[in-house]
Amino acid sequence: MLYRIAKPFLFKMDPESAHHLIVDGMGAASRVPGVGPLLSAAWGVGETPDLAVDLFGLHFAHPVGLAAGLDKNAKAVAGFSRVGLSFMEVGTVTPVGQPGNELPRLFRLPPDEALINRMGFNNEGADAMAERLSRLKRRRIPLAVNIGKNKVTPNERAADDYRACLQKLFSYGDFFVVNISSPNTPDLRALQHGDELLSLLSAVKDEMAVQAERHGEAPKPVLVKIAPDNSDEQLGYMAEAILQSGVSGIIATNTTIGRDGLTHAHAGQTGGLSGRPLTKKSTEVIRTLYSLTQGKLPIIGSGGIFDANDAYEKIRAGASLVEVYTALIYRGPGVLREIHKGLRERLKQDGYSRITQAVGADHRGGQVRR
């Protein structure tokens, strides 16, 4: 109800201005005594054993978290931790702050329930994020730090930027995501393939080991986020390199450069497309990756999740966890409670007692439900 009242006003604003209003407002509100419990009362989702997931050595109250891109600078972690998410990503963060691409760079496509962005990793930098996260008294939900390279850094030196992010932020994340799949940083997606991918992930794993030893802790999980715009052959090479690298998992997928089926006038804008048009494409990537890796590598499904059916299809296709973003813009945080309720109902319909039993269910027994 609260979001339905606010949405018409927000949608009259420039999309990026509305974005900053929500994130900055959530950050400011969460610092006011008593507001945190109010957010939990309005939008919180209680933990139920059937939807709990233990993965990467971490506990998730349910499978639904927040994708990177909404809280780029970790300004509102305390607030977002109260609205029903089971985990969240912050970033993408780069070693040095950068302004990103020219305005305007974020576009709503309401009839398509989609967004197009060409933000270009705009962020305040790793030092600013580290300082902000150091002030958090505790992390209420697992926190992933999504790391990237600066625009001016050539691909042959990309590993240095990812290493620098880990050096600055190791203490403040529960796991880390290597973003090599944004379409808005020139040549970034070239790092997804072949020897470049294996070399980069090996460097990140090496730096993680160095930082873990330095801090006297165990290495933290590292995942890699991939694009949806790859052929099955390309996915095969990627899966092989990712498995060989020893990283902990995959996030599938980032935004797409495809424009199939769009009706809004903004369809011609350049950038990454998220939301409803990505639903099926990202699910098929999950299905392919799960098959290629024989279910041995955990997958976090992201792309076009608006309801429990979308989430459950990704889980049955092979995702152990899922992420939302665009659905929050169009439907508000109440969508999380709706997805939670719907997932419980679908588990019962399929005769499962725990959500983990449904992961990859479409692949078992030679049957694949389309």
Side-chain angles (χ1 to χ4, degrees):
M1 178 65 71
L2 291 172
Y3 190 76
R4 283 200 296 269
I5 294 171
K7 182 180 174 181
F9 298 98
L10 293 170
F11 271 53
K12 288 179 181 178
M13 298 176 63
D14 164 74
E16 190 166 349
S17 297
H19 177 114
H20 289 307
L21 178 65
I22 291 293
V23 174
D24 293 347
M26 182 76 82
S30 63
R31 293 191 292 272
V32 177
V35 168
L38 288 176
L39 291 173
S40 293
W43 290 305
V45 175
E47 179 168 354
T48 56
D50 53 347
L51 293 190
V53 178
D54 292 300
L55 192 67
F56 312 129
L58 301 167
H59 180 72
F60 301 86
H62 58 82
V64 189
L66 176 66
L70 188 59
D71 193 359
K72 289 178 176 292
N73 295 299
K75 289 184 173 182
V77 173
F80 283 123
S81 298
R82 293 277 197 167
V83 298
L85 297 159
S86 71
F87 67 99
M88 67 178 289
E89 287 189 66
V90 292
T92 297
V93 63
T94 54
V96 179
Q98 58 183 25
N101 295 323
E102 293 183 3
L103 301 173
R105 54 195 181 183
L106 179 62
F107 306 89
R108 302 187 192 98
L109 293 76
D112 305 303
E113 287 191 296
L115 299 172
I116 291 175
N117 91 83
R118 51 173 179 264
M119 307 300 285
F121 286 176
N122 57 308
N123 73 105
E124 296 173 3
D127 286 325
M129 180 178 283
E131 195 277 331
R132 194 168 282 126
L133 289 176
S134 71
R135 298 199 302 264
L136 271 182
K137 294 181 180 178
R138 68 186 181 98
R139 298 193 284 271
R140 298 181 62 89
I141 58 177
L143 180 70
V145 179
N146 186 299
I147 58 177
K149 79 172 187 71
N150 281 110
K151 183 177 181 179
V152 298
T153 304
N155 276 8
E156 56 267 25
R157 287 176 39 216
D160 295 339
D161 277 16
Y162 291 92
R163 283 180 179 271
C165 288
L166 283 180
Q167 290 162 9
K168 297 173 186 289
L169 291 161
F170 174 87
S171 297
Y172 307 112
D174 294 299
F175 60 107
F176 289 81
V177 180
V178 177
N179 189 348
I180 50 171
S181 51
S182 168
N184 302 316
T185 296
D187 299 323
L188 182 70
R189 288 189 171 193
L191 295 172
Q192 292 182 112
H193 306 297
D195 292 340
E196 289 84 358
L197 177 59
L198 182 57
S199 176
L200 174 62
L201 295 181
S202 296
V204 173
K205 286 282 290 179
D206 178 70
E207 188 61 45
M208 175 59 72
V210 170
Q211 293 305 313
E213 184 175 0
R214 176 187 168 197
H215 289 85
E217 299 183 33
K220 295 180 178 181
V222 173
L223 285 75
V224 58
K225 186 169 188 176
I226 67 168
D229 308 306
N230 291 288
S231 67
D232 286 354
E233 182 180 16
Q234 289 172 323
L235 287 173
Y237 289 128
M238 292 166 66
E240 183 178 353
I242 292 169
L243 283 168
Q244 190 175 343
S245 74
V247 299
S248 302
I250 304 171
I251 297 185
T253 64
N254 210 317
T255 55
T256 179
I257 57 175
R259 295 293 187 268
D260 292 347
L262 298 182
T263 62
H264 194 273
H266 286 324
Q269 294 289 343
T270 58
L273 173 72
S274 65
R276 177 57 73 189
L278 188 55
T279 306
K280 290 184 178 180
K281 179 181 281 193
S282 61
T283 301
E284 288 309 309
V285 172
I286 292 165
R287 195 184 309 281
T288 300
L289 285 172
Y290 187 90
S291 179
L292 288 169
T293 61
Q294 299 180 328
K296 295 176 181 178
L297 199 61
I299 299 169
I300 298 180
S302 182
I305 296 174
F306 281 74
D307 55 36
N309 283 330
D310 300 330
Y312 197 53
E313 285 179 4
K314 282 179 167 52
I315 290 167
R316 287 190 59 109
S320 296
L321 300 168
V322 295
E323 294 179 334
V324 296
Y325 181 159
T326 306
L328 290 178
I329 307 301
Y330 282 98
R331 303 191 181 183
V335 72
L336 296 164
R337 194 173 286 174
E338 294 171 8
I339 293 174
H340 186 277
K341 178 182 177 182
L343 285 177
R344 300 191 74 195
E345 293 171 352
R346 282 150 186 78
L347 281 185
K348 290 181 182 178
Q349 290 170 2
D350 283 356
Y352 297 128
S353 59
R354 297 186 65 88
I355 194 70
T356 50
Q357 296 169 333
V359 175
D362 286 348
H363 300 264
R364 293 194 279 274
Q367 301 294 316
V368 178
R369 190 183 71 176
R370 295 288 182 181

